[in-house]
Amino acid sequence: MGANLSSFFTDPSAWSLHGCSRLQSPVPKPSLGDLPESCVASIISYLDPVEICKLATLNRAFRGASWADFVWESKLPENYETIMEKVSGGCSPRKLSKREIYTKLCRPNSFDGGTKKVWLDKRTGGVFLSISFKGLTITGIDDRRYWNHMPTEESRFLAVAYLQQTWWLEVDGQLEFPFPTGSYSLFFRLHLGRAAKRFGRRICNTEHVHGWNIKPVQFQLWTSDGQHKSSKCLLGDPGKWNLYHVGDFIVDSTTSSTKLKFSMTQIDCTHTKGGLCLDCVIVYPCKYRERLKHF
């Protein structure tokens, strides 16, 4: 203690000109907030969109960097401008930042009269697309003896087509969309039985489900560049929504839109079939199979 006092009295810098001791404030340590925004933006550009948004809440530097266009352009599909034109009906929307474009495309965007929806996966930027039964050509759909439109919260389109009974099942669809390059899978989302809610609980009436275990349903897929896939499957698992795989296709160019044709048929005049709910057709990138749990 004596040594400390001695050094205090002998250190001339410890006194001011007015004879008072001058206390030296510690030099502040650098923090994340001292990083230049351009440096922060370069770092967070390697993260996924969800992580970028979380880091934007740290401080002003990270918040500003999270709006850098080059950060979000690397997360968008390479042909995002064409996709924006598709979902906006060819109209030119107001000038948006790349982050605003990403945010808009991550929401379900309806097009073709509301019969189709497309959105980006928030974390990966993969393109997902669904087509309502109203966007498909269904044999006998306008005849209420065979088909009914049934409202439900279990569909993204808030309604499904319910098949009461038929001899001839034929569902056809077409799609033209500017998919980014990659591999995609196409599925039909189907349900055996009629689901409803009673006293807040989900119930399913499977009384009228019949005919699906006799002959398989055939699914087919064609692309404008000559790809063709087909599969057959007996429909089962009543009371649950199931995705029936039609096939995969490859998009190797974004210079033009990909044209698809697909179908689901079960034609057998020896027996009737009924009790089927048809929700939609789903297209999604093959490598994101785990995302299907959200459907």
Side-chain angles (χ1 to χ4, degrees), residues 181-199:
T181 55
S183 300
Y184 296 84
S185 295
L186 189 143
F187 287 81
F188 275 85
R189 186 173 189 256
L190 308 174
H191 181 286
L192 291 180
R194 185 165 185 164
K197 278 191 175 182
R198 181 177 296 175
F199 304 116

Side-chain angles (χ1 to χ4, degrees), residues 70-117:
F70 79 88
V71 170
W72 291 96
E73 190 160 16
S74 64
K75 312 302 178 186
L76 287 163
E78 65 265 35
N79 62 337
Y80 70 89
E81 293 177 330
T82 307
I83 296 176
M84 283 290 290
E85 291 178 5
K86 183 73 173 181
V87 300
S88 62
C91 300
S92 298
R94 67 181 180 86
K95 181 74 172 177
L96 299 175
S97 69
K98 298 300 186 293
R99 175 170 169 168
E100 289 174 322
I101 292 174
Y102 194 92
T103 301
K104 175 177 174 56
L105 290 179
C106 283
R107 303 188 187 107
N109 294 272
S110 300
F111 62 102
D112 284 358
T115 61
K116 301 177 180 67
K117 292 185 178 182

Side-chain angles (χ1 to χ4, degrees), residues 14-284:
W15 294 88
S16 68
L17 293 175
H18 300 285
C20 299
S21 62
R22 177 171 56 84
L23 299 178
Q24 294 180 340
S25 59
V27 178
K29 296 181 179 179
S31 66
L32 288 175
D34 296 320
L35 290 172
E37 283 188 12
S38 58
C39 179
V40 175
S42 297
I43 296 172
I44 65 176
S45 64
Y46 292 96
L47 305 177
D48 68 46
V50 175
E51 293 170 332
I52 293 172
C53 292
K54 289 179 179 179
L55 287 175
T57 62
L58 282 178
N59 53 49
R60 184 178 299 177
F62 276 79
R63 185 165 56 252
S66 70
W67 282 90
D69 273 351
F70 79 88
V71 170
W72 291 96
E73 190 160 16
S74 64
K75 312 302 178 186
L76 287 163
E78 65 265 35
N79 62 337
Y80 70 89
E81 293 177 330
T82 307
I83 296 176
M84 283 290 290
E85 291 178 5
K86 183 73 173 181
V87 300
S88 62
C91 300
S92 298
R94 67 181 180 86
K95 181 74 172 177
L96 299 175
S97 69
K98 298 300 186 293
R99 175 170 169 168
E100 289 174 322
I101 292 174
Y102 194 92
T103 301
K104 175 177 174 56
L105 290 179
C106 283
R107 303 188 187 107
N109 294 272
S110 300
F111 62 102
D112 284 358
T115 61
K116 301 177 180 67
K117 292 185 178 182
V118 64
W119 64 97
L120 301 184
D121 179 70
K122 291 181 180 179
R123 186 173 292 276
T124 65
V127 174
F128 289 69
L129 189 146
S130 60
I131 307 167
S132 166
F133 77 91
K134 295 181 180 179
L136 306 174
T137 301
I138 305 174
T139 300
I141 188 64
D142 296 323
D143 193 328
R144 293 297 177 262
R145 293 175 299 174
Y146 307 116
W147 290 90
N148 283 324
H149 297 183
M150 188 174 72
T152 175
E153 296 180 354
E154 297 183 359
S155 168
R156 287 181 177 270
F157 297 93
L158 301 180
V160 297
Y162 179 72
L163 174 63
Q164 301 182 96
Q165 182 169 286
T166 189
W167 298 87
W168 186 295
L169 173 68
E170 187 173 19
V171 181
D172 296 294
Q174 298 186 42
L175 172 67
E176 183 174 353
F177 191 81
F179 288 101
T181 55
S183 300
Y184 296 84
S185 295
L186 189 143
F187 287 81
F188 275 85
R189 186 173 189 256
L190 308 174
H191 181 286
L192 291 180
R194 185 165 185 164
K197 278 191 175 182
R198 181 177 296 175
F199 304 116
R201 297 182 61 184
R202 186 183 191 270
I203 60 172
C204 184
N205 184 352
T206 60
E207 178 183 358
H208 301 290
V209 176
H210 66 279
W212 303 110
N213 60 342
I214 300 175
K215 185 177 180 179
V217 173
Q218 181 172 15
F219 301 97
Q220 295 195 75
L221 166 66
W222 300 266
T223 68
S224 53
D225 60 358
Q227 300 177 64
H228 174 246
K229 299 294 175 63
S230 66
S231 61
K232 291 183 179 181
C233 183
L234 289 171
L235 304 189
D237 203 10
K240 295 181 180 180
W241 286 105
N242 289 288
L243 296 174
Y244 291 90
H245 186 213
V246 179
D248 300 339
F249 62 95
I250 297 174
V251 177
D252 54 16
S253 174
T254 58
T255 56
S256 60
S257 294
T258 300
K259 297 179 182 179
L260 304 175
K261 288 185 179 181
F262 44 89
S263 68
M264 176 179 73
T265 57
Q266 210 273 34
I267 302 171
D268 183 1
C269 295
T270 62
H271 70 276
T272 62
K273 43 205 161 283
L276 172 71
C277 284
L278 168 58
D279 177 19
C280 64
V281 170
I282 298 169
V283 182
Y284 78 102

